[in-house]
Amino acid sequence: MEQAQHLSANNTMLPLSMIDDLPFGNSRRSRNEAKYNEMKNSVMKRGVIQPVLVRPAADRFEIVAGYGRLSASRELGLTEIPVLIKPLSDAEALEHQIEENVNRESLSIIDECKAVQQLSAFYNGDRQAIADRLVWSSKKVNERIEILKCCEEVLDAVSWGSITVGHALLLAPFSVKLQQGTLKKIIAEKWTVSYLRQRASKGQQYLTLAKFDTQDCNLCPHNSEAQSGLFGLDSHKAACSNISCFKEKTNQWLETRKVELSEQYGTVLLVQQINEADRNSVDALTVGETQFLTGCQACEKRVVLIDDRLGRSLGSTIDNQCIDQICFNKCIEALTTTPPLVSSVSEKNNEELPESSVTTEKAAPQKGASSKTKTTNKPVSCAVPKKVVETNKAILRETSAELLMPNEHFQLAMSYAALKRLCTGYTATSSELASPTHFEETIKSALRVSVEELKAEIINATLHLATKQDAQNFSMTDIMINCMSFADNARQVAVAKWNPTKALLAEYTVGSLTALCIKAGLDTAMNNHEAGSFNKAAASGKGKFIDTIIATEFDWSDFAPDEYLALIK
């Protein structure tokens, strides 16, 4: 295969015909044409001096960083280009791309906003994780996300220099209609940021658009309806002139709503945080019933989006959104059969979610989606929530200690590894123990030699131990779990150790709990006892659902979640 000829070297010349764009494109929204032409002239005279970054993809390669150099080479009719080949995940590729653009030529503010928007999909909206990866301050990330609340006209005006970022930040909280109208006045009348701030502080929000309880607003002096009543004026549509108070109460309502939604989905993101091109509606029709019920429902990449802009769209939600474009495409491709339609538990849940006066937008099915529910024989894809993974690891670490600590061989292996970690320049006499350098590999190698040989090595290491210490970072939890394979009946003991306690189940979302019960067979057991009882329990809210799961007489002894068992190497 042609690709293999180039993989043997990290730095090589690669035909332009073998390089494709990334699935999510380039994070730069625009480029400086003058600088681009300058670079293009340089390529014409000297060729491409600095390699572009590519990653292997199937039997070809995808451009990660160096879009400008690649574009210039194509326009100039070059046939090959120097490349640095590096295997990268989608998240890593996007991060490299953003860092390249930021370091080579500063991204515009709007480009930075769009970059943060793309990373939000990879990091499930974790702003601190985005800030850490880009080496930005949390304030900088928060400002970029706030600007994303602006309509496209405002964002374009910032890009063109018609208004400043300060103008955009003041416009961001308001409705699209108000943003558009105010933008025209800012440009036409050349409003300063200071003047806009004054105008914004005097703005009003109709109380009919409020999502919070407005009972306390009836006698508030900032309520225009209360004012008209006091002075005998004609009644009119009630509006609040204390925008900061309106926003504060709205944010409190949003936080409560996010908690309600997080029980079902786990992750609640702002509509503006995720670009529409980076999300897809997911259900049993688009990815198949098995994948949806036992995979997507439990996946942390299935999120709900909520609009927090003041205006008519405030509080509206879009549910069942998959923000892993690559995985979504793989699930679509994996469909193999189209049996009759079977209504899903998720659909039932969504119908009975508490509305709280919030309109929920149901996205249209994907183009080409069958009218029948599809299933697949392919493995189910699911990104397990981190909290669930950590809880599973904690259970398995305790299990591994129970299995391994009574074992003299393991005790000696731990002792030897700890001694060797403290040694500087020590070389083991055993060939099996001579090569490992990491703490975990040292333990595993020690478990492969005989007890007598290990004891002799411990004596040698103790004699060699010097005053200098070698500090290494490692996870003892992972080490203990990965050593479980040296114990007898490790898998059986681990399965028996897992029990669906209330505290453990509380870390799952409703979707994850539903998938868990279906895999275990609890749904069948409940429905055999009373038809439809499982769907009813799943739609009753997270707390009641967990209580029902625990109260149901069911034998869990031979079951443990796939994500739990997958941790056992």
Side-chain angles (χ1 to χ4, degrees):
M1 195 175 291
E2 189 177 354
Q3 185 196 53
Q5 300 173 6
H6 303 282
L7 286 173
S8 59
N10 286 334
N11 289 283
T12 184
M13 295 296 291
L14 196 64
L16 297 181
S17 59
M18 288 191 67
I19 303 176
D20 302 317
D21 288 346
L22 285 170
F24 39 83
N26 188 3
S27 61
R28 184 179 295 280
R29 209 176 185 219
S30 59
R31 67 186 176 195
N32 186 308
E33 287 300 327
K35 291 188 176 181
Y36 176 72
N37 288 331
E38 183 180 318
M39 182 266 292
K40 187 175 175 180
N41 288 332
S42 174
V43 171
M44 184 186 300
K45 294 177 182 178
R46 305 178 184 85
V48 177
I49 299 173
Q50 183 174 349
V52 299
L53 177 62
V54 300
R55 70 173 184 178
D59 59 345
R60 296 173 60 79
F61 297 88
E62 292 175 343
I63 180 72
V64 175
Y67 273 77
R69 281 162 282 164
L70 179 63
S71 176
S73 298
R74 284 173 173 163
E75 290 178 16
L76 292 170
L78 302 184
T79 58
E80 58 181 11
I81 191 172
V83 298
L84 170 63
I85 301 172
K86 192 172 184 180
L88 296 169
S89 68
D90 293 320
E92 290 170 336
L94 180 58
E95 290 158 5
H96 273 284
Q97 187 182 96
I98 294 171
E99 289 169 0
E100 164 82 4
N101 283 335
V102 170
N103 293 333
R104 179 168 294 276
E105 179 190 334
S106 296
L107 288 172
S108 70
I109 292 293
I110 304 306
D111 282 338
E112 288 183 353
C113 292
K114 295 297 182 181
V116 170
Q117 193 177 52
Q118 283 184 296
L119 281 177
S120 289
F122 288 112
Y123 288 102
N124 275 39
D126 188 336
R127 300 187 184 190
Q128 189 57 54
I130 295 171
D132 292 343
R133 186 65 184 126
L134 295 177
V135 197
W136 287 1
S137 66
S138 297
K139 180 175 180 292
K140 184 174 180 178
V141 172
N142 289 334
E143 284 182 346
R144 273 41 178 187
I145 291 175
E146 184 68 16
I147 294 174
L148 286 171
K149 295 179 185 178
C150 295
C151 62
E152 284 299 321
E153 290 89 339
V154 172
L155 295 179
D156 288 339
V158 174
S159 297
W160 298 332
S162 303
I163 65 172
T164 68
V165 175
H167 289 105
L169 285 171
L170 289 171
L171 290 172
F174 295 100
S175 67
V176 171
K177 184 177 180 180
L178 189 56
Q179 286 184 37
Q180 292 169 336
T182 306
L183 175 63
K184 294 178 181 179
K185 292 185 176 182
I186 293 173
I187 296 174
E189 301 175 17
K190 298 182 180 180
W191 289 4
T192 64
V193 173
S194 178
Y195 181 68
L196 176 60
R197 185 179 291 109
Q198 292 176 20
R199 293 291 296 261
S201 66
K202 297 176 182 178
Q204 292 185 328
Q205 285 292 335
Y206 290 124
L207 287 171
T208 54
L209 300 179
K211 298 301 179 181
F212 55 83
D213 187 352
T214 59
Q215 185 173 353
D216 293 339
C217 303
N218 291 335
L219 298 178
C220 177
H222 297 289
N223 183 346
S224 61
E225 188 174 55
Q227 294 169 348
S228 65
L230 287 173
F231 293 97
L233 301 174
D234 293 335
S235 61
H236 62 284
K237 201 170 184 179
C240 173
S241 60
N242 189 345
I243 298 299
S244 61
C245 178
F246 192 96
K247 287 173 62 177
E248 182 179 352
K249 289 183 176 180
T250 296
N251 287 337
Q252 291 173 355
W253 178 87
L254 282 168
E255 287 304 314
T256 301
R257 184 66 176 127
K258 285 171 69 175
V259 171
E260 294 172 355
L261 291 169
S262 67
E263 290 189 351
Q264 170 72 15
Y265 293 92
T267 303
V268 183
L269 302 177
L270 305 181
V271 170
Q272 290 76 26
Q273 262 185 281
I274 304 297
N275 190 296
E276 189 172 356
D278 293 331
R279 59 181 172 87
N280 293 277
S281 296
V282 60
D283 53 31
L285 290 175
T286 52
V287 298
E289 186 176 32
T290 300
Q291 170 62 44
F292 181 71
L293 291 180
T294 62
C296 299
Q297 282 203 109
C299 184
E300 66 173 354
K301 294 297 183 179
R302 183 184 72 115
V303 306
V304 62
L305 306 179
I306 187 168
D307 200 331
D308 69 337
R309 293 174 298 180
L310 299 183
R312 296 187 183 280
S313 64
L314 175 66
S316 62
T317 59
I318 308 176
D319 59 11
N320 283 327
Q321 295 297 291
C322 172
I323 56 174
D324 189 336
Q325 182 71 51
I326 305 300
C327 180
F328 180 82
N329 289 339
K330 289 179 180 177
C331 290
I332 297 295
E333 293 170 3
L335 294 180
T336 57
T337 59
T338 55
L341 175 65
V342 179
S343 61
S344 71
V345 173
S346 175
E347 291 168 345
K348 177 69 175 175
N349 286 346
N350 290 337
E351 290 171 2
E352 300 188 7
L353 274 175
E355 298 254 341
S356 300
S357 75
V358 178
T359 58
T360 300
E361 177 185 335
K362 295 289 185 178
Q366 299 295 313
K367 292 182 178 179
S370 170
S371 60
K372 297 181 179 181
T373 303
K374 300 177 181 179
T375 61
T376 175
N377 297 323
K378 300 291 184 180
V380 172
S381 299
C382 176
V384 182
K386 293 179 182 178
K387 289 178 64 178
V388 174
V389 173
E390 293 306 315
T391 298
N392 287 336
K393 282 188 172 185
I395 298 171
L396 286 173
R397 178 173 182 175
E398 183 179 339
T399 304
S400 66
E402 293 178 6
L403 286 167
L404 295 168
M405 284 307 298
N407 187 319
E408 180 191 16
H409 200 163
F410 179 76
Q411 293 176 8
L412 291 171
M414 286 280 282
S415 299
Y416 172 72
L419 283 170
K420 188 176 181 183
R421 184 170 182 266
L422 296 175
C423 290
T424 301
Y426 171 73
T427 303
T429 57
S430 167
S431 58
E432 179 68 37
L433 299 174
S435 58
T437 56
H438 296 294
F439 189 70
E440 179 178 352
E441 290 305 316
T442 301
I443 294 176
K444 290 181 177 179
S445 295
L447 287 168
R448 295 187 185 102
V449 302
S450 67
V451 171
E452 291 71 21
E453 191 175 2
L454 185 55
K455 287 180 178 179
E457 204 67 63
I458 289 174
I459 293 175
N460 291 337
T462 303
L463 292 173
H464 182 85
L465 186 62
T467 56
K468 294 182 179 180
Q469 296 185 2
D470 180 22
Q472 295 182 13
N473 295 322
F474 55 87
S475 169
M476 200 62 213
T477 295
D478 291 339
I479 291 173
M480 292 295 290
I481 293 173
N482 292 339
C483 288
M484 284 178 66
S485 59
F486 291 95
D488 295 332
N489 302 318
R491 191 176 183 86
Q492 292 89 329
V493 175
V495 170
K497 187 73 174 179
W498 189 90
N499 290 302
T501 64
K502 189 168 186 177
L504 187 152
L505 295 178
E507 295 182 353
Y508 286 75
T509 64
V510 174
S512 297
L513 288 171
T514 302
L516 181 76
C517 293
I518 292 174
K519 290 179 181 178
L522 180 65
D523 62 324
T524 302
M526 289 180 63
N527 290 333
N528 286 341
H529 179 71
E530 180 183 347
S533 60
F534 179 73
N535 284 9
K536 183 178 179 181
S540 64
K542 184 176 176 179
K544 291 183 179 179
F545 190 18
I546 291 175
D547 290 340
T548 302
I549 292 172
I550 294 175
T552 301
E553 187 174 338
F554 184 74
D555 183 8
W556 293 90
S557 60
D558 293 328
F559 175 81
D562 294 339
E563 60 269 17
Y564 174 81
L565 296 175
L567 294 169
I568 306 174
K569 301 293 189 293

